[in-house]
Amino acid sequence: MKVKIWRILKLQYNLQSYLNSVQMSGRKHLLVEGKYDKQLFRIFLNAFISHIKVDIDIAENLSDPAILGGNCQKVEKVTEIINSKEYASRFVGFVDREYREFDLEAVADKLGCHNQILRLVWSRGHSIENYFLDYHIIHESLLGLSSVECFDKAIKDFANCFEKAIRIACALGLTGFEMGNSEMIRKCIHPDLFNIQNSEIILQIELWKDFLKERKVTEEEVLKAVNSFQSWIGKLTDVSFETVRWLCDGHSGIRMVWTVYYRCVFVNTSENPKNEANKIYKVPEDTRFQALASWLVRKAKAKQSVYPYEVLNLLEGDLC
């Protein structure tokens, strides 16, 4: 028991101890927000710059009263401090962009690229999952993850639904942001609330209302959520998919991918459709993320996908 406690405590550090460790280690350090960011960059570093030793640190392990806010703010504060240090060249910070530098009024991307501020890099889109919102990456991942009998039919329907599905996820993400409760809205991305009609994914509004009410959401908040969603989905109709892909709340986007695939399997299975469709959820979330990340890196190596090149470049990798 003592050994386990020691291991847990060892993972926690305050601001000064972390700065000291970066200064004294002599190695390069990449500070990211959470475990999935670390999982993705571990694959990228191995694929692109395996000859350089890089420690990938997680901000959620950093606890200090001098830093207020969440993991994004921790990374940004640490990077701001290190920018002026003599060892800054051995450090890079990477954070989620979220909705920064998106014009939500005009529904436009004011950047159109990664934002680099000295040793800090923002993700290209809302969060790290947005890199996966490419049909080809998801198709190849599902090919390896899914063992359903109706895969050919299901993936055909999935292809037809894909762009509309990401638009719905984007609208739901913006609804959550507008209401100040993104997590509640993300939980609404559930297979039981969607249906496929004429090869198109549909959010069943009445079922969604009931879903929210069952979770003690007030009538006023339910109406606000529905009105917000309908307003956003209308605005997104004529917005390019390229913009929608990066604007979409990445967490919502990936939840939508599994939800839509579930529905595609369900409607194409004649016997025990629920059991067959549930197979995708029986694959551990970490395994699904690893599959997406691995295919993203393959596409990036082939120069067929957007990826956080700026991070690797700052870490002085040979990307040729």
Side-chain angles (χ1 to χ4, degrees):
M1 176 62 75
K2 289 182 179 178
V3 173
K4 290 182 179 179
I5 292 174
W6 178 84
R7 284 178 178 169
I8 292 171
L9 292 176
K10 187 173 182 289
L11 289 173
Q12 299 297 319
Y13 38 78
N14 61 32
L15 176 58
Q16 192 55 54
S17 67
Y18 180 69
L19 295 174
N20 291 342
S21 72
V22 175
Q23 180 180 13
M24 297 173 63
S25 72
R27 295 164 65 97
K28 294 181 182 292
H29 284 258
L30 171 60
L31 180 62
V32 298
E33 293 187 39
K35 73 169 189 174
Y36 284 119
D37 304 284
K38 181 173 182 175
Q39 189 174 341
L40 177 63
F41 276 108
R42 183 185 289 126
I43 300 172
F44 263 111
L45 296 180
N46 184 61
F48 283 96
I49 52 174
S50 59
H51 59 286
I52 296 178
K53 297 188 181 300
V54 180
D55 289 338
I56 308 176
D57 307 316
I58 303 178
E60 63 189 31
N61 294 332
L62 177 60
S63 179
D64 196 299
I67 306 178
L68 301 177
N71 293 327
C72 178
Q73 288 73 28
K74 292 177 185 179
V75 176
E76 291 181 342
K77 181 63 175 178
V78 170
T79 309
E80 181 185 354
I81 293 170
I82 291 180
N83 276 334
S84 62
K85 304 294 185 181
E86 70 279 0
Y87 54 88
S89 62
R90 292 191 282 102
F91 178 87
V92 179
F94 180 85
V95 294
D96 286 347
R97 174 183 179 179
E98 299 179 337
Y99 290 114
R100 292 179 288 185
E101 294 302 316
F102 283 107
D103 183 339
L104 297 184
E105 189 67 31
V107 194
D109 186 348
K110 296 196 292 184
L111 283 178
C113 61
H114 287 92
N115 190 29
Q116 181 181 330
I117 308 166
L118 298 178
R119 308 297 298 180
L120 178 72
V121 179
W122 292 2
S123 61
R124 171 64 182 85
H126 177 279
S127 45
I128 204 162
E129 288 82 1
N130 293 70
Y131 294 109
F132 304 148
L133 300 183
D134 174 316
Y135 174 74
H136 301 289
I137 289 170
I138 293 168
H139 175 274
E140 296 296 344
S141 300
L142 286 171
L143 191 60
L145 290 169
S146 182
S147 59
V148 296
E149 292 293 330
C150 65
F151 180 81
D152 290 343
K153 292 180 180 178
I155 203 67
K156 183 177 180 180
D157 280 347
F158 181 84
N160 291 332
C161 293
F162 178 69
E163 288 199 10
K164 176 67 179 295
I166 302 306
R167 290 180 190 276
I168 291 174
C170 187
L172 287 170
L174 288 163
T175 296
F177 178 68
E178 194 169 74
M179 296 181 67
N181 197 340
S182 294
E183 191 55 37
M184 177 189 74
I185 299 300
R186 283 183 196 130
K187 289 178 180 177
C188 298
I189 302 176
H190 188 282
D192 290 347
L193 303 185
F194 292 85
N195 200 7
I196 294 176
Q197 298 174 5
N198 300 320
S199 297
E200 185 174 353
I201 190 72
I202 304 293
L203 172 60
Q204 301 178 94
I205 298 295
E206 293 305 316
L207 291 180
W208 181 30
K209 289 179 182 178
D210 293 341
F211 183 91
L212 290 170
K213 290 173 186 176
E214 287 168 6
R215 282 147 186 82
K216 310 302 181 185
V217 180
T218 66
E219 288 276 0
E220 182 182 358
E221 289 291 285
V222 170
L223 183 61
K224 184 178 177 181
V226 171
N227 288 340
S228 178
F229 169 75
Q230 291 178 331
S231 174
W232 281 116
I233 199 68
K235 290 179 182 178
L236 292 170
T237 301
D238 296 324
V239 176
S240 71
F241 182 73
E242 178 70 7
T243 297
V244 171
R245 172 194 176 181
W246 300 118
L247 175 62
C248 181
D249 176 323
H251 315 292
S252 298
I254 291 303
R255 284 183 72 109
M256 181 63 78
V257 165
W258 309 129
T259 293
V260 173
Y261 183 67
Y262 175 106
R263 295 306 310 175
C264 291
V265 172
F266 188 93
V267 300
N268 283 288
T269 303
S270 55
E271 295 183 14
N272 299 318
K274 191 169 184 178
N275 289 342
E276 195 74 356
N278 264 328
K279 286 181 179 179
I280 193 61
Y281 288 118
K282 290 179 180 178
V283 179
E285 188 175 357
D286 285 1
T287 303
R288 284 180 267 154
F289 185 93
Q290 184 78 8
L292 292 165
S294 296
W295 273 105
L296 171 63
V297 171
R298 292 184 200 184
K299 296 290 185 181
K301 290 279 282 186
K303 299 182 179 180
Q304 296 174 350
S305 182
V306 176
Y307 66 101
Y309 165 89
E310 289 78 359
V311 172
L312 306 181
N313 191 47
L314 285 170
L315 291 168
E316 299 180 354
D318 179 7
L319 306 183
C320 298

